[in-house]
Amino acid sequence: MTVGAFLLGIMVILDYVMPLPVDKLYASGTTVVTDRHGEPLRLFADNNGVWRYPVRLDQVSPYYIDALINYEDRWFWNHPGINPFSLLRALYQWIDSGRVVSGGSTLTMQLARIIDPHERSITGKIKQLFRATQLSWHLNRKQILTHYINHAPFGGPFEGVEAASRVYLGKSAQNLSQAEAALLAVLPQAPSRLRPDRHPENAQKARNKVLNRLDRFTVWPAKEIAQARNELVYALQNTTPHHAPLLTRHLKKIDGRSVIHTTLDGDLQALLSRKINDHAHFLPPKTSMALLMVENETMVVHAYRGSADFTNQNRFGHVDMVRAVRSPGSLLKPFLYGLALDDGLIHSHSLLTDAPQDFQGYRPNNFHVGFQGPVSMTKALQNSLNVPAVSILDHIGSIRFSTHLRRAGLRLRFPGDTLPNLALILGGAGTTLEELVPLYAALARDGQVGTLRYLPEQQLIKKPLLSPGAAWIIRRILSSAPTPPGIPERYLPKHQRIAWKTGTSYGYRDAWAIGVTDRYTLGVWVGRPDGVPIPGQYGAITAAPFLFNILQSLPEKALWNSPQPPPETVTQQEICWPLGTAPPTDQNQATTFCHQRHKAWILNGVVPPTLPDRFEKHWISPIRTIAINPDTGRWVPSLCPVRPTRKKNLVRWPTLLHPWLNRTLRQQQSVPRVDHACKQYDTSLSASFKITGLNPDTILRPAGSSTILPPIQLSVLGAIDTIYWLINGKMIKQTEPNTPLTHQFNKSGRFEISAMDAYGHHDTVTITINLE
């Protein structure tokens, strides 16, 4: 057996007995989360507090590889991990001078010391040589060099050239200049003494030493090296990136890779974060805010901010409000109306009733107390009226609507074990900003909900929410809504309109605003993470201004595409109230059936009629045909023998809207007085719901020289439930059946006082007040 074979056998045995601790090379423990361009958003240190940003050789500047190899280990590509000539030279210089003049360690030996540290002794050096030999057996040259550039110490907690380049120079190692490459090549020799942020003079001397050697070996042209020497060493303040901290924390938790590339746009993230930082100063104490912005076409997330200030415990900065379950307030209304459009239940200007109603014991009010009477679907959605939305949900069904949303990707959380109910449309279930934004993005995606994509490799999964036509109509309605109060004109794009909707949860706990442009959807939440109410803070004045501020700060070309026509399924058509259908072609019939005309967006050519009064047990046609005495113009009941008669059609408005109808509309739908010859057949005078306390057309004046009128008291005869009182169409109070209304008139004029209940019973008296 030869000596060589014997030594080889010994090495094999030692390699088995003392395996190479390569786990330290692959199980780094550090995590880097980057934006879409590879710029780090956040670095997570390992258990030892080390920051590292792993890269491949092709992701590092060739200048750095040149400087590193030619300064540290010129024969790296040729020797087996140990350079005996370098070792002998270093030994001779040490004996000759009595001190260490040059090191004999190769890059492989330096990597061996990194993965298996040893004492500075003869025994330690032998161990290092053995580990270097093992590295050369198990890894090729490129693998060894890759591990070195990712594990070399660069001062403080930073290891690897990429981490050092990012922290000290503010750039990727792929973009290093020749001077910067030389600086980072020498820095691991004495990381603490040569740190450019603390000792720039030392760092510059060491860098120039590298440049001198490269000049001597003619690695780079002399002119370029001379220019590199003239560069001053300057380092950024030692700060690590800390963008989107809550999202990066979440991704690190669910993704085990050492480098996680996200879809976030670093520049946009920084811009919106600065705006949140500025805006947070004006928020009440303990209030936070969140933001999520996605690209509609691809559903990639471009910006994510989970709290107002991650480091501020007073604002619960550690709580991610993008993913927190909260009440959405009115934010689900657009999708309810969209589903009703697809069902053929309504069109954009269907006549809806905004009046007191009882839905099996549930009696919703509007956010701003009061009712508006007859409203179109467009107005009901733009003004976020509650009663019309509850009425539509009552027709569609709470369980069906909830199921429809769940199939589209919205997971609603109901309190306890309760089933979906009518309160759902007013915020009676929990959801998240992360789930709501994709729903609104569907309005710009032909009604298709796409899953959010935080990582480039995530697949875009589509789920149907609305038809393209319904999505277009809803977006058109939201984009034509008046802007919230206090929004300056400078916040509005010049040529396009933002489709936007706000929401406010019960008790002013959550304020929302979501806006949709052609290219992006942006959602904003403001509130207290602990759920404490913030009186006076609601979507339109708290979240919406910030939403418009952000969208205004972005270039218009980044928000809008070229205008697109409506889908083929959508047409615009004139419709009539109160029937809700197209006007008759016959002019005489049009006068009778068409009390008001409106332009409506129609889906699939269907013009659905006005929904019937929901409290009626059986459907009653809104068109009533009566007999009229042609001589007197009065009504002839069917049992009355007066002949001949002529037919007259009357069109009835929904019963609950009567208090809001003007005199002309009431006359158009009212049955004329009974003919004198038919009074014994008249059954219309047995009214059971009647205002008492004032007669119609009463004129009230103060007594004597006084200008103050005493309060009036009114009651309702025949009332069996809560009474809603309106003056000139505006609700002023509600009373119980046995409680009179007391009201003080403070100005002159003609006033129409109406009383109604939730079952359609109503009465009206008109009085005149003269305080002069």
Side-chain angles (χ1 to χ4, degrees):
M1 179 182 293
T2 64
V3 175
F6 174 76
L7 293 176
L8 179 61
I10 294 298
M11 292 296 293
V12 170
I13 294 173
L14 290 174
D15 183 60
Y16 178 78
V17 175
M18 301 173 61
L20 189 68
V22 292
D23 56 321
K24 294 185 178 180
L25 299 178
Y26 297 101
S28 67
T30 64
T31 302
V32 181
V33 185
T34 76
D35 72 358
R36 61 192 306 185
H37 304 296
E39 297 293 323
L41 295 169
R42 190 177 180 188
L43 303 177
F44 291 90
D46 65 11
N47 293 334
N48 297 318
V50 174
W51 305 75
R52 194 179 298 114
Y53 188 160
V55 290
R56 303 186 307 271
L57 287 179
D58 60 0
Q59 294 176 311
V60 177
S61 169
Y63 291 140
Y64 174 74
I65 302 299
D66 287 344
L68 178 65
I69 296 294
N70 285 279
Y71 183 73
E72 288 285 355
D73 192 354
R74 286 188 65 202
W75 306 105
F76 172 78
W77 300 108
N78 305 108
H79 60 64
I82 300 172
N83 188 338
F85 299 103
S86 296
L87 288 174
L88 292 173
R89 185 191 69 240
L91 179 61
Y92 172 78
Q93 290 174 338
W94 174 59
I95 295 174
D96 183 60
S97 63
R99 62 184 179 85
V100 176
V101 177
S102 64
S105 296
T106 63
L107 290 175
T108 309
M109 293 171 64
Q110 293 180 43
L111 180 61
R113 187 171 65 243
I114 290 172
I115 64 173
D116 191 5
H118 60 82
E119 297 179 355
R120 291 185 175 274
S121 63
I122 298 298
T123 304
K125 180 59 70 173
I126 293 174
K127 181 181 178 183
Q128 182 185 21
L129 294 172
F130 171 68
R131 290 302 190 195
T133 304
Q134 280 184 298
L135 283 170
S136 295
W137 284 355
H138 292 280
L139 304 174
N140 61 39
R141 297 285 91 187
K142 287 187 176 180
Q143 291 174 319
I144 291 173
L145 185 58
T146 300
H147 286 304
Y148 175 83
I149 67 173
N150 284 315
H151 290 82
F154 281 86
F158 306 107
E159 288 186 1
V161 65
E162 183 71 12
S165 182
R166 296 283 185 180
V167 172
Y168 296 135
L169 305 175
K171 61 169 63 176
S172 169
Q174 198 165 23
N175 302 318
L176 293 174
S177 68
Q178 290 166 307
E180 293 166 340
L183 171 65
L184 295 185
V186 73
L187 187 53
Q189 281 197 349
S192 299
R193 184 171 56 85
L194 300 180
R195 280 183 59 166
D197 59 332
R198 295 182 179 177
H199 309 289
E201 298 85 359
N202 294 344
Q204 185 156 329
K205 291 177 181 179
R207 180 206 65 185
N208 289 344
K209 185 178 178 182
V210 175
L211 292 174
N212 292 338
R213 182 170 297 185
L214 297 178
D215 190 15
R216 186 166 67 252
F217 295 146
T218 64
V219 177
W220 297 332
K223 183 177 180 180
E224 294 179 5
I225 291 178
Q227 292 174 341
R229 286 196 193 98
N230 291 331
E231 288 188 23
L232 294 177
V233 169
Y234 172 78
L236 302 175
Q237 291 296 322
N238 183 4
T239 57
T240 56
H242 204 258
H243 306 296
L246 291 168
L247 174 63
T248 54
R249 182 183 69 182
H250 173 66
L251 293 177
K252 177 182 181 295
K253 182 178 179 181
I254 65 174
D255 192 316
R257 292 175 295 177
S258 59
V259 179
I260 303 173
H261 296 289
T262 73
T263 61
L264 265 61
D265 184 319
D267 293 337
L268 183 61
Q269 176 75 25
L271 170 65
L272 301 191
S273 292
R274 286 195 300 271
K275 286 189 169 293
I276 283 186
N277 294 340
D278 294 340
H279 190 78
H281 293 300
F282 302 99
L283 296 176
K286 299 186 178 181
T287 304
S288 187
M289 61 190 308
L291 174 151
L292 182 65
M293 187 172 188
V294 303
E295 185 180 57
N296 296 329
E297 182 179 359
T298 62
M299 291 306 293
V300 300
V301 177
H302 280 218
Y304 184 113
R305 181 72 178 258
S307 65
D309 184 352
F310 180 71
T311 62
N312 190 333
Q313 294 302 311
N314 183 56
R315 295 193 183 276
F316 307 93
H318 62 287
V319 180
D320 189 347
M321 299 311 299
V322 171
R323 304 178 65 242
V325 177
R326 309 291 290 197
S327 165
S330 298
L331 286 179
L332 299 181
K333 289 176 182 175
F335 311 108
L336 173 67
Y337 288 118
L339 180 58
L341 285 168
D342 278 331
D343 283 352
L345 196 64
I346 57 174
H347 51 68
S348 72
H349 269 70
S350 286
L351 173 60
L352 302 180
T353 298
D354 183 35
Q357 296 192 55
D358 184 289
F359 299 88
Q360 297 85 46
Y362 181 52
R363 299 182 178 185
N365 286 315
N366 287 319
F367 181 75
H368 298 288
V369 177
F371 300 94
Q372 300 187 28
V375 294
S376 66
M377 184 274 271
T378 294
K379 185 176 181 180
L381 177 54
Q382 291 178 344
N383 293 356
S384 199
L385 301 177
N386 289 342
V387 176
V390 173
S391 179
I392 294 296
L393 183 58
D394 189 47
H395 281 88
I396 287 179
S398 303
I399 294 179
R400 180 183 170 226
F401 180 56
S402 173
T403 302
H404 182 77
L405 294 178
R406 185 176 68 251
R407 289 173 177 169
L410 183 72
R411 180 188 167 202
L412 293 170
R413 291 81 162 174
F414 295 92
D417 296 327
T418 59
L419 293 174
N421 53 48
L422 295 179
L424 162 63
I425 200 59
L426 306 184
T431 185
T432 68
L433 184 61
E434 188 177 44
E435 294 172 350
L436 286 168
V437 166
L439 256 66
Y440 275 82
L443 300 179
R445 292 173 43 83
D446 291 333
Q448 296 287 317
V449 176
T451 53
L452 291 180
R453 298 171 60 207
Y454 293 107
L455 308 175
E457 62 270 19
Q458 287 179 320
Q459 296 296 313
L460 175 58
I461 301 174
K462 302 177 183 178
K463 297 180 181 180
L465 175 65
L466 302 174
S467 69
W472 188 91
I473 292 174
I474 294 299
R475 183 181 171 192
R476 173 88 179 201
I477 291 172
L478 294 178
S479 63
S480 59
T483 55
I487 301 294
E489 286 296 323
R490 68 177 183 275
Y491 289 168
L492 304 178
K494 297 178 181 178
H495 308 295
Q496 300 283 353
R497 300 282 294 180
I498 298 167
W500 64 280
K501 181 74 179 72
T502 63
T504 306
S505 66
Y506 178 77
Y508 301 96
R509 290 173 169 83
D510 306 273
W512 306 80
I514 301 181
V516 182
T517 71
D518 290 342
R519 294 190 59 190
Y520 293 104
T521 297
L522 173 65
V524 173
W525 172 90
V526 181
R528 284 188 55 158
D530 58 0
V532 174
I534 312 176
Q537 300 291 319
Y538 54 93
I541 67 166
T542 303
F546 184 68
L547 172 83
F548 278 85
N549 187 333
I550 289 178
L551 292 177
Q552 173 64 16
S553 67
L554 302 177
E556 286 190 28
K557 64 181 181 180
L559 300 177
W560 308 105
N561 299 323
S562 56
Q564 297 294 321
E568 295 180 355
T569 56
V570 176
T571 55
Q572 195 171 32
Q573 184 173 331
E574 189 174 58
I575 59 95
C576 290
W577 279 7
L579 295 180
T581 53
T585 55
D586 181 84
Q587 186 59 40
N588 291 330
Q589 288 187 339
T591 302
T592 300
F593 295 146
C594 209
H595 296 178
Q596 291 182 3
R597 293 174 181 261
H598 299 274
K599 286 284 188 179
W601 292 106
I602 306 300
L603 185 61
N604 299 320
V606 177
V607 188
T610 298
L611 297 172
D613 288 325
R614 51 170 305 280
F615 52 80
E616 293 176 348
K617 295 183 179 179
H618 304 286
W619 181 79
I620 300 176
S621 172
I623 302 175
R624 180 181 181 184
T625 303
I626 62 173
I628 297 295
N629 185 335
D631 296 327
T632 64
R634 295 197 171 196
W635 172 43
V636 178
S638 58
L639 297 178
C640 183
V642 172
R643 298 292 185 273
T645 61
R646 63 179 175 84
K647 293 182 178 180
K648 180 179 180 180
N649 290 319
L650 299 176
V651 177
R652 183 171 64 92
W653 286 70
T655 304
L656 290 172
L657 295 179
H658 285 201
W660 283 271
L661 301 181
N662 58 38
R663 180 173 297 183
T664 300
L665 292 178
R666 289 178 185 172
Q667 290 176 347
Q668 284 180 293
Q669 71 160 9
S670 298
V671 176
R673 292 183 180 181
V674 69
D675 193 80
H676 293 293
C678 305
K679 286 187 177 181
Q680 66 270 34
Y681 302 99
D682 183 16
T683 60
S684 63
L685 300 178
S686 57
S688 60
F689 190 92
K690 186 176 181 61
I691 296 176
T692 61
L694 282 177
N695 294 321
D697 299 321
T698 297
I699 300 176
L700 298 177
R701 296 185 179 89
S705 59
S706 174
T707 59
I708 300 176
L709 191 69
I712 63 168
Q713 280 196 346
L714 298 175
S715 299
V716 173
L717 183 66
I720 59 173
D721 204 346
T722 301
I723 305 165
Y724 299 88
W725 294 91
L726 301 93
I727 295 181
N728 292 342
K730 182 178 180 180
M731 196 180 82
I732 60 166
K733 197 172 183 181
Q734 61 186 56
T735 62
E736 295 306 309
N738 297 323
T739 304
L741 167 72
T742 301
H743 185 75
Q744 175 78 53
F745 285 95
N746 297 316
K747 64 178 181 179
S748 302
R750 189 171 177 83
F751 298 92
E752 188 176 76
I753 305 173
S754 299
M756 64 182 298
D757 65 15
Y759 301 98
H761 304 118
H762 62 89
D763 189 29
T764 299
V765 295
T766 302
I767 64 173
T768 299
I769 303 295
N770 188 349
L771 300 180
E772 298 178 355

